[in-house]
Amino acid sequence: MRIKYQELRNKRRTPLKDGVPLDTPFLVHIDPTNLCNMRCSFCPTGHKSARDMRNNGMMDWNLYVKIIDGFKDMPHRIKQLTFCKDGEPMLHPRLLDMMEMAVEADIADKVWLKTNGTLLTPEINKRLVNIGLDLIGISIKAVSAEGYEKTTGVKVDYEKLKRMVDNLHSRSVLTPIYVNTVNADYTEEEKEKFYNDFEYISDYVAIEDMHGWSCGFSDKITENDTVVSSKIACPWPLLTMSINFDGKVSACQEDWSMQAIVGDLNIETVSEAWRNKDRYYFIFKHLMGQRSMLPPCANCSFIDFSPDNIDDCRDELLRRL
């Protein structure tokens, strides 16, 4: 079925403005690692200068256990927990253990994994489909070995990658497999090849649009360096908690530079980080029309990828908060 990630995520979704303030985040991203085995031209993690702006590493197991225990104490279950933010999660040696723990803890309505798929093996696939995930997303970067080397800077056995996706899909009875790619200047022939290669070895397949990133890492900025979006306030900080590998909490999942930090789960509980003054200050700046004063947000176009527009109710939301 050809359906995009946003459509899958937003099925039967309640408008954000009807639920604010949220006592539990709707969406949680956990980044097991912000390291990656690729250097994609359209991703900040693929650029050395961008990576050098932040700390890089793997999440400590004891920290992860504390995080999961913290979500058990929240008033409600998370709507969606996704394992992925800035890196390739399958590089973490205990990723499968992490996801098993999250599913068994029953802290989320849906638990998703997003991966580039290059580390899949039959052995990993066998265990992966038995964890109880609600979706496994595989991001394809090109439709040939040559395309992979050009786009990601690394050699990938494209035919082997297809076989591993097919192997995963054939094993997966209860967990849907979603295969997507980003439209990075594909020709019409390449688009058709993508669909031909993956439509019959997955449950959902899509060619997604490119989007911008925080700190102006974007191809959607105008000549005078202003955001193309007409939205004033970004809805993402109101509904998401994005947990970096080191336990620092970002205001949204696009904070690749880790400059929008609004909490620290090394010294706070999950509940404390969700309610702390730094997060509310960050939200207030958006609601007061001062997004341009927040460097990570000033030139970010990911705001347009939110299904919500809260501009008309900013005063009401300020009163509620």
Side-chain angles (χ1 to χ4, degrees):
M1 181 185 299
R2 298 185 185 186
I3 183 171
K4 292 188 176 183
Y5 176 79
Q6 292 92 335
E7 297 171 88
L8 285 172
R9 184 178 59 202
N10 297 327
K11 281 185 175 181
R12 299 181 297 277
R13 187 175 181 278
T14 302
L16 176 61
K17 64 181 180 181
D18 295 341
V20 173
L22 303 177
D23 56 17
T24 303
F26 275 2
L27 304 176
V28 173
H29 289 77
I30 292 180
D31 208 17
T33 177
N34 62 352
L35 302 173
C36 189
N37 58 341
M38 292 187 175
R39 294 291 178 261
C40 297
S41 58
F42 48 78
C43 175
T45 298
H47 290 250
K48 185 179 185 303
S49 59
R51 294 193 304 275
D52 288 347
M53 292 176 63
R54 68 191 190 199
N55 292 325
N56 301 279
M58 301 271 185
M59 181 171 283
D60 175 76
W61 177 255
N62 291 329
L63 172 62
Y64 176 75
V65 172
K66 178 189 176 185
I67 291 168
I68 296 301
D69 287 343
F71 279 112
K72 293 178 184 178
D73 296 331
M74 295 296 278
H76 296 94
R77 298 164 86 219
I78 305 159
K79 299 296 183 185
Q80 179 184 313
L81 169 60
T82 298
F83 284 87
C84 188
K85 180 177 173 283
D86 299 319
E88 168 48 49
M90 293 193 71
L91 286 173
H92 196 290
R94 299 199 66 178
L95 173 68
L96 299 181
D97 296 331
M98 287 178 161
M99 295 189 296
E100 282 182 344
M101 177 179 289
V103 171
E104 291 172 1
D106 196 29
I107 58 174
D109 292 343
K110 295 182 290 187
V111 180
W112 290 10
L113 166 67
K114 294 177 68 177
T115 171
N116 62 36
T118 58
L119 299 177
L120 293 175
T121 66
E123 294 72 27
I124 289 175
N125 289 350
K126 182 178 180 179
R127 184 177 171 191
L128 195 54
V129 299
N130 291 319
I131 289 175
L133 298 172
D134 297 280
L135 190 80
I136 298 173
I138 301 174
S139 298
I140 301 299
K141 310 303 181 185
V143 293
S144 67
E146 296 77 17
Y148 260 92
E149 188 164 6
K150 177 181 178 182
T151 301
T152 71
V154 298
K155 294 182 182 295
V156 171
D157 186 335
Y158 181 72
E159 296 303 319
K160 179 182 177 182
L161 174 58
K162 286 197 300 180
R163 290 196 301 271
M164 289 303 100
V165 174
D166 190 13
N167 178 273
L168 179 65
H169 182 247
S170 66
R171 293 174 182 270
S172 181
V173 178
L174 300 177
T175 302
I177 307 302
Y178 171 63
V179 179
N180 79 296
T181 190
V182 173
N183 186 12
D185 298 322
Y186 279 148
T187 64
E188 290 304 315
E189 290 77 13
E190 288 173 324
K191 292 178 184 178
E192 194 60 31
K193 186 176 189 301
F194 169 75
Y195 285 124
N196 288 337
D197 285 351
F198 293 101
E199 192 162 15
Y200 302 104
I201 58 173
S202 63
D203 298 283
Y204 306 110
V205 63
I207 297 177
E208 303 280 6
D209 299 322
M210 293 280 280
H211 68 77
W213 300 76
S214 65
C215 291
F217 190 94
S218 171
D219 59 353
K220 297 185 178 182
I221 305 301
T222 61
E223 291 182 0
N224 60 353
D225 203 34
T226 58
V227 180
V228 172
S229 174
S230 60
K231 289 183 181 178
I232 298 171
C234 183
W236 290 114
L238 285 160
L239 75 154
T240 65
M241 174 178 275
S242 297
I243 305 170
N244 297 295
F245 81 94
D246 59 358
K248 302 289 180 63
V249 178
S250 287
C252 96
Q253 61 268 37
E254 298 308 301
D255 180 33
W256 60 268
S257 63
M258 299 170 68
Q259 294 187 51
I261 300 300
V262 294
D264 186 349
L265 297 180
N266 293 283
I267 57 176
E268 296 174 289
T269 65
V270 170
S271 179
E272 289 169 343
W274 186 244
R275 302 192 317 267
N276 74 21
K277 61 181 178 60
D278 291 334
R279 175 174 173 266
Y280 274 80
Y281 173 82
F282 198 94
I283 291 171
F284 288 162
K285 284 293 185 183
H286 277 267
L287 295 179
M288 291 186 294
Q290 299 175 357
R291 178 159 59 98
S292 62
M293 297 177 63
L294 300 167
C297 304
N299 290 332
C300 178
S301 61
F302 191 71
I303 184 173
D304 285 325
F305 278 71
S306 170
D308 295 290
N309 189 332
I310 57 174
D311 287 351
D312 292 341
C313 57
R314 288 185 294 129
D315 291 341
E316 179 186 350
L317 295 180
L318 276 169
R319 287 193 295 272
R320 290 190 206 170
L321 293 169

